Amino acid sequence: MNIVVLVKQVPDPEARVTVKEGGGPDALQVEDRWVTSYFDEIALEKALLLRGSLGGAVIALTAGGGKAADALRRAVAFGADRAVQVDDPALGHTDALGVARVLSAAVRRLAPDLVLAGRAAGDDEAGFVGGAVAELLGWPHIEEAVELDVAECCPGLRATRVADGAKEILDVALPAVVTAQKGLAVPRVPQVTNVMKAMRAKIEKLDLAALGLAPERLAPTVAVAGYQAPPARPPVKMIAGTAPEAARTLVGLLRDEAKVLG
Amino acid sequence: MNGEIWVVVERKEDGVRRVCREALGRAAALGGEAVAVVPGGDPDEAAAAVAPYAKRVLAVAHPLLDDGDAETWAAVLAELIAVRRPAAVLGGATARCRGVFARLSARLGCGYAADVTGLDVTPGGRLRAVRPVLGGRAYATLEFRGPTPDLATVRPGAFPAPAAGLAGTVERVTPATGALTARVRFAGRLPLEAGPVDLAEADVIVAGGRGLRGPEGFRLVEDLAAAFGAAVGASRACVDAGWRDHSCQVGKSGRTVSPKLYVALGISGAVHHRMGMDSARTVVAINNDPNAPFFKHADYGIAGDLFELAPALAAEVRKAKGE
Ligand SMILES: Cc1cc2nc3c(=O)[nH]c(=O)nc-3n(C[C@H](O)[C@H](O)[C@H](O)COP(=O)(O)OP(=O)(O)OC[C@H]3O[C@@H](n4cnc5c(N)ncnc54)[C@H](O)[C@@H]3O)c2cc1C
């Protein structure tokens, strides 16, 4: 089974974030620290496990220039067989829908049996790309899988997800898109030698022309008009006293001040 | 807003998901005509459940919609949208509706804002949405361009839920079945060991961390949660240690929650955890380390031993509620 894994390089969750006074579209400042999106690493690990039992190749795919290729090097360090980067100036001013169009065009060329992706990217957390790529390819999609294996009943895969307070068991024929929820696999920590080797790995490059996509297809449908800092919480009120006293004071405050009781 | 604003309504038992009611309330406030669109289920039951919250209800009946697969929902909704041309379509930021809206956006070429916490209308009559990015450390304002309808899913708890009180007119719609095929087959449903957890809809969440010292420690959390009528959450440290199911995890790699009250017991308050709960209205942190980071991000803090404080608090809550 050949698997394409969609990967994205995102700001480290611990990177410092500030919003400049004025709050325009350029007001967001993020410290220059990057990681591969957490759920993408889970998807990648699952792809490598499936390759181990079913054979085939794992192809990491990303869209974007600059730091984007680091996600591919990380994927190769994990053990991916190929790394494909779509890089084109038009990607600099598109939106998530444009990215989904680019990724689906690249997937069509790579013609895998399965696309795995994280359930949401670590930066904008929209949970958009998996479903959108499935729609553009005309493939079924299982969201937020916590288990995934070959189905016993029929050719295809059986997945489990947690929805509405229960575990749902779902069967799907291939080709399909599956997005990874925490629990699907535990990402490995790649060995240093593999990380070194990945620095020299070949990255296959594609641009819009190679994908047969006109730049107009990337015209954004949403645009950021500005950024604001999150609403600040007032300073904490520390409550002193013995346990029963502190508990009584707190309940009084929750009832009369915060008005969240009852 | 000129034109109709649709809200895709998900049912829950015999009612309506709270986040969908919240979206209906916001839609009505945006000035257009709010219409509840209910895919699947018995149309009479759907009508009865939803009509108290919307002036107009479209009950869309088809057996393939009952499984709730995003692909069939999106196919039917896209067909209805093409014919009736609403100005905007809203839904809850639930796992299902995120899948549905991603597909709608891709299929229709319309802009989509996920998990929004603010919604209004521009002078040009388009939606303007505010949504958290980077784990809630900044909020982006998004404007829509290109084809309509403008699409958005709203974060649970971001808008007030209106009380029942309307008596909407109900229209039944039967989709053209030709376009419908279910390609994800539902093979079964198993109860979760931890019991059903609905962190997204909970008004109060009591969450436990490594300070509980083991799975038995969660009995304290459960008892306090029972006193509050709350759902139980957990830090990743507890989930990874196997003390609690993944579905309870709050944070960057778990659930994002916005309850009215979040009580953290023995959780240090790492940024990854806070990313999942920073939009809670009131936060209480209980930790025996007076320098725990959580105290910088809470409304009320008690520096003390949770093994004494949790039972004392449960007793006080029960007293306050007259139990
Ligand atoms: C990519 C990534 C994603 C992550 N995602 C998440 C996530 O989704 N959710 C999440 O929670 N974490 C997440 N983490 C982990 C996060 O960074 C923290 O490690 C984790 O939240 C710590 O859990 P904790 O607070 O329970 O444990 P600890 O940090 O060990 O804190 C335990 C706390 O309990 C207190 N304590 C101990 N005994 C008592 C007592 N008797 N009474 C009162 N207090 C006591 C201690 O003072 C301490 O503050 C993520 C990390 C990474 C790298």
Side-chain angles (χ1 to χ4, degrees):
Chain A
M1 185 161 65
N2 294 326
I3 305 172
V4 165
V5 185
L6 308 180
V7 292
K8 184 179 186 188
Q9 201 71 354
V10 298
D12 186 325
E14 287 169 49
R16 202 152 16 86
V17 174
T18 45
V19 179
K20 275 191 294 183
E21 204 73 28
D26 305 317
L28 184 66
Q29 288 179 318
V30 186
E31 190 189 349
D32 192 18
R33 285 167 68 180
W34 300 79
V35 295
T36 302
S37 186
Y38 177 78
F39 295 106
D40 297 355
E41 288 199 348
I42 296 177
L44 185 59
E45 183 66 45
K46 186 66 195 181
L48 294 167
L49 293 173
L50 288 170
R51 180 185 69 183
S53 52
L54 304 172
V58 171
I59 307 165
L61 171 64
T62 199
K67 286 277 174 279
D70 291 354
L72 294 176
R73 300 210 177 274
R74 178 116 180 127
V76 172
F78 265 54
D81 301 284
R82 288 170 61 191
V84 180
Q85 177 183 19
V86 186
D87 190 5
D88 195 286
L91 278 165
H93 19 84
T94 190
D95 59 3
L97 179 56
V99 170
R101 286 191 171 126
V102 164
L103 290 171
S104 60
V107 168
R108 209 172 276 125
R109 253 176 85 117
L110 296 166
D113 304 291
L114 174 66
V115 170
L116 277 171
R119 77 151 158 87
D123 47 3
D124 49 24
E125 289 178 322
F128 172 79
V129 161
V133 165
E135 182 67 29
L136 293 165
L137 291 167
W139 294 4
H141 172 211
I142 293 178
E143 306 99 357
E144 305 199 356
V146 293
E147 291 168 35
L148 180 67
D149 231 312
V150 179
E152 280 161 26
C153 63
C154 44
L157 296 175
R158 168 162 285 193
T160 307
R161 74 167 170 226
V162 176
D164 299 333
K167 268 192 174 183
E168 289 180 347
I169 303 166
L170 306 160
D171 291 332
V172 70
L174 298 175
V177 177
V178 177
T179 40
Q181 169 67 303
K182 181 164 182 269
L184 183 65
V186 179
R188 68 192 64 192
V189 178
Q191 289 172 356
V192 178
T193 47
N194 291 344
V195 174
M196 304 293 279
K197 255 191 263 165
M199 302 298 263
R200 296 187 303 271
K202 175 167 173 270
I203 290 182
E204 301 165 44
K205 295 221 177 193
L206 294 169
D207 59 12
L208 292 198
L211 293 174
L213 269 179
E216 303 84 73
R217 300 286 290 157
L218 272 65
T221 52
V222 287
V224 176
Y227 289 98
Q228 302 92 51
R233 216 171 267 289
V236 65
K237 284 193 183 160
M238 293 303 288
I239 298 165
T242 64
E245 287 163 6
R248 200 168 316 129
T249 311
L250 175 61
V251 168
L253 288 166
L254 292 178
R255 186 186 49 216
D256 304 329
E257 188 177 76
K259 300 192 175 12
V260 289
L261 267 195
Chain B
M1 195 167 211
N2 278 327
E4 295 179 358
I5 303 176
W6 287 9
V7 176
V8 179
V9 170
E10 292 175 74
R11 304 281 312 284
K12 186 183 174 186
E13 283 124 40
D14 49 0
V16 175
R17 265 192 180 280
R18 190 180 73 191
V19 63
C20 301
R21 286 188 269 125
E22 292 165 354
L24 279 166
R26 190 64 202 153
L30 291 176
E33 188 182 6
V35 180
V37 182
V38 198
D42 177 82
D44 291 326
E45 283 174 20
V50 183
Y53 304 102
K55 284 193 185 150
R56 274 183 59 204
V57 181
L58 295 186
V60 190
H62 191 286
L64 278 181
L65 293 170
D66 297 353
D67 280 341
D69 177 46
E71 188 178 13
T72 44
W73 277 37
V76 167
L77 288 168
E79 197 178 287
L80 284 176
I81 288 167
V83 176
R84 299 175 181 235
R85 308 207 152 277
V89 183
L90 311 181
T94 60
R96 170 171 307 135
C97 263
R98 284 192 194 216
V100 171
F101 277 68
R103 281 186 178 271
L104 281 178
S105 169
R107 182 182 278 239
L108 303 168
C110 300
Y112 166 50
D115 204 21
V116 308
T117 55
L119 271 179
D120 61 6
V121 179
T122 65
R126 302 290 298 258
L127 223 49
R128 178 163 45 210
V130 176
R131 66 181 305 273
V133 295
L134 297 168
R137 285 171 304 159
Y139 281 71
T141 302
L142 298 178
E143 292 183 354
F144 290 75
R145 306 168 171 180
T148 55
D150 299 335
L151 307 172
T153 51
V154 307
R155 172 174 285 202
F159 301 104
L166 302 173
T169 56
V170 179
E171 180 186 345
R172 287 158 181 252
V173 185
T174 312
T177 49
L180 268 190
T181 47
R183 297 190 298 167
V184 175
R185 202 181 68 80
F186 281 70
R189 200 176 244 282
L190 299 172
L192 284 177
E193 270 167 48
V197 195
D198 199 345
L199 290 176
E201 305 244 309
D203 270 335
V204 182
I205 293 174
V206 181
R210 187 141 51 192
L212 292 165
R213 294 199 201 127
E216 318 76 48
F218 267 94
R219 285 204 208 116
L220 289 178
V221 181
E222 275 160 13
D223 185 55
L224 182 54
F228 274 116
V232 172
S235 75
R236 174 166 164 193
C238 302
V239 169
D240 286 359
W243 301 353
R244 212 68 202 173
D245 188 73
H246 282 306
S247 54
C248 299
Q249 185 185 317
V250 173
K252 178 86 187 159
S253 53
R255 290 286 151 204
T256 304
V257 298
S258 311
K260 293 201 180 88
L261 173 63
Y262 189 89
V263 180
L265 296 173
I267 302 179
S268 57
V271 62
H272 305 97
H273 184 82
R274 292 195 330 262
M275 282 174 174
M277 45 64 62
D278 247 352
S279 55
R281 195 183 329 143
T282 300
V283 175
V284 173
I286 295 178
N287 197 303
N288 65 359
D289 171 6
N291 297 316
F294 228 138
F295 290 135
K296 291 204 188 74
H297 305 274
D299 299 283
Y300 304 109
I302 305 180
D305 183 7
L306 71 86
F307 292 94
E308 289 176 32
L309 282 161
L313 193 51
E316 283 299 328
V317 171
R318 291 201 165 97
K319 227 190 279 171
K321 289 193 160 183
E323 285 168 17

